[in-house]
Amino acid sequence: MPALLKAEGLVKHYDVETGGFLRRSRVPLRAVDGVDLEIQPGETLGLVGESGCGKSTLGRVLIRLVPATAGYVEFDGADVLRLDPRALREVRRGMQIVFQDPFGALNPRMSVEETVMEPLLIHGARRSAETHAEVGRMLEMVGLPDSARHRFPHEFSGGQRQRVGIARALILRPKLVVLDEPVSALDVSVQAQIVNLLSDLQGELGLTYLFIAHDLGVVKHISTRVAVMYLGKVVEIGEKRALYAAPKHPYTQALLASVPVTHPSRRKRGGQARLAGDIPTALAPPSGCRFHTRCPHVMDVCRTEEPAMRAAGPDHQAACHLLPA
Ligand code: SF4
């Protein structure tokens, strides 16, 4: 089956001014620095990495919310980065985003009805009995009462606000939804409810998800495959079970070691090194393997040669010199 979304050599650099008054210069911040990936129809690709690794930027570039610097993105057969504005608007119906901060993402002066209906109006619908009814259907789908339509964002809890954000993203019946840390700002007790809701909606509506998170624990249950990102690059990607059972990249291993394990019988990851230090700046990424400044297995070759993606098993790849070429 052809991929619903495909990216090749995707790059997003921001020009950043550095230096003092007399030595000011512009250098590229390499937020996304050569990413290839595919998302199959109906699957959830989890995209995981620490803050500042470029995962949110990647999500936005994939759906052209921000322009790419270079590369190729294909969605449902369309060459996304080269569409003219009219064609882009049409393709946009099929790819929507849910943001991390449900409060910041909603206009405080717009009622829930206005918020959820707005994408329909932007795409040419007129306010009518049908759009009114469609808002009601969406509210029901996300578990909110119809009376919620007359209320405003500040009247809701974080979880309820995120339900409004999901209803807004789904009202155009997209094929692909980018979920940009949709539960990171919520209480732990509410996170599972929202993940379960997203999972149910995926089954009901046949959705495909890119689920962005900074924690491998959050995406474990909902993902079909998982991609791990470090300093602008995907360093490991694979089928979920294989990646969690036998992570190949030392960065993935460290991320997994930092996931809280509640069940005593599963507390066997203690031998794996946890992450030390902060992620280096994307203004001057380390040479060779970008993880070499923090890797417990670093070798001389890692400092000079960037590792290419290598097969680590069926539907499982990682970019590390420890793997056989
Ligand atoms: Fe560590 Fe070297 Fe593998 Fe990079 S290439 S993750 S530094 S062992």
Side-chain angles (χ1 to χ4, degrees):
M1 197 187 290
L4 179 63
L5 184 90
K6 186 159 88 177
E8 286 172 4
L10 196 57
V11 171
K12 176 63 186 176
H13 290 174
Y14 293 98
D15 253 1
V16 174
E17 226 168 62
T18 60
F21 177 63
L22 291 173
R23 306 179 70 191
R24 199 170 288 167
S25 63
R26 299 188 80 81
V27 289
L29 184 140
R30 300 164 186 275
V32 177
D33 210 15
V35 166
D36 299 337
L37 56 80
E38 289 191 353
I39 307 180
Q40 303 302 322
E43 79 166 346
T44 297
L45 178 68
L47 179 63
V48 176
E50 292 163 282
S51 298
C53 73
K55 56 193 189 302
S56 287
T57 304
L58 175 59
R60 284 163 168 74
V61 173
L62 284 171
I63 60 172
R64 212 172 130 183
L65 262 191
V66 295
T69 305
Y72 175 74
V73 176
E74 187 179 301
F75 171 72
D76 213 9
D79 182 349
V80 174
L81 303 185
R82 284 157 195 88
L83 293 172
D84 62 44
R86 221 175 118 216
L88 177 63
R89 230 166 74 115
E90 214 29 60
V91 168
R92 273 261 170 75
R93 292 185 76 103
M95 39 190 200
Q96 297 290 312
I97 185 164
V98 172
F99 295 99
Q100 172 181 357
D101 174 7
F103 198 68
L106 302 178
N107 184 335
R109 284 184 290 276
M110 282 169 72
S111 69
V112 166
E113 173 164 279
E114 289 169 323
T115 300
V116 176
M117 193 187 288
E118 190 180 44
L120 287 176
L121 305 182
I122 289 171
H123 281 85
R126 293 243 176 98
R127 201 179 283 270
S128 64
E130 179 47 35
T131 54
H132 181 88
E134 186 58 12
V135 169
R137 277 193 286 275
M138 289 316 307
L139 292 179
E140 191 183 349
M141 266 189 195
V142 300
L144 290 172
D146 197 71
S147 57
R149 66 169 71 230
H150 304 299
R151 295 164 64 193
F152 288 82
H154 71 269
E155 298 177 61
F156 292 100
S157 67
Q160 288 170 324
R161 281 198 290 264
Q162 196 54 294
R163 287 173 194 264
V164 174
I166 294 166
R168 178 183 162 93
L170 298 188
I171 198 160
L172 291 170
R173 297 292 195 272
K175 291 184 178 178
L176 173 77
V177 185
V178 173
L179 302 161
D180 187 8
E181 305 227 25
V183 299
S184 303
L186 304 178
D187 288 348
V188 174
S189 58
V190 182
Q191 290 186 355
Q193 291 171 19
I194 297 296
V195 172
N196 289 340
L197 170 68
L198 289 166
S199 185
D200 292 346
L201 290 168
Q202 183 171 37
E204 263 172 68
L205 302 173
L207 299 166
T208 303
Y209 288 151
L210 176 67
F211 194 124
I212 298 171
H214 57 258
D215 179 343
L216 272 164
V218 170
V219 296
K220 183 171 184 180
H221 296 292
I222 198 167
S223 295
T224 320
R225 292 183 307 131
V226 174
V228 178
M229 206 168 164
Y230 188 76
L231 263 187
K233 290 187 178 285
V234 171
V235 296
E236 182 160 5
I237 184 165
E239 190 271 327
K240 177 192 43 192
R241 268 177 297 263
L243 187 136
Y244 281 81
K248 299 299 180 192
H249 198 284
Y251 180 56
T252 313
Q253 292 167 1
L255 280 183
L256 261 180
S258 56
V259 173
V261 180
T262 43
H263 199 286
S265 67
R266 296 193 190 128
R267 281 192 192 132
K268 59 183 182 192
R269 292 197 207 114
Q272 286 177 358
R274 285 172 179 257
L275 266 178
D278 293 327
I279 190 166
T281 171
L283 287 169
S287 58
C289 171
R290 292 183 179 192
F291 189 55
H292 85 248
T293 54
R294 302 166 83 191
C295 180
H297 307 290
V298 60
M299 306 170 282
D300 284 346
V301 65
C302 307
R303 297 189 177 89
T304 53
E305 275 182 40
E306 186 177 341
M309 272 287 184
R310 295 170 184 185
D315 195 11
H316 189 180
Q317 296 174 295
C320 175
H321 289 302
L322 291 171
L323 286 167

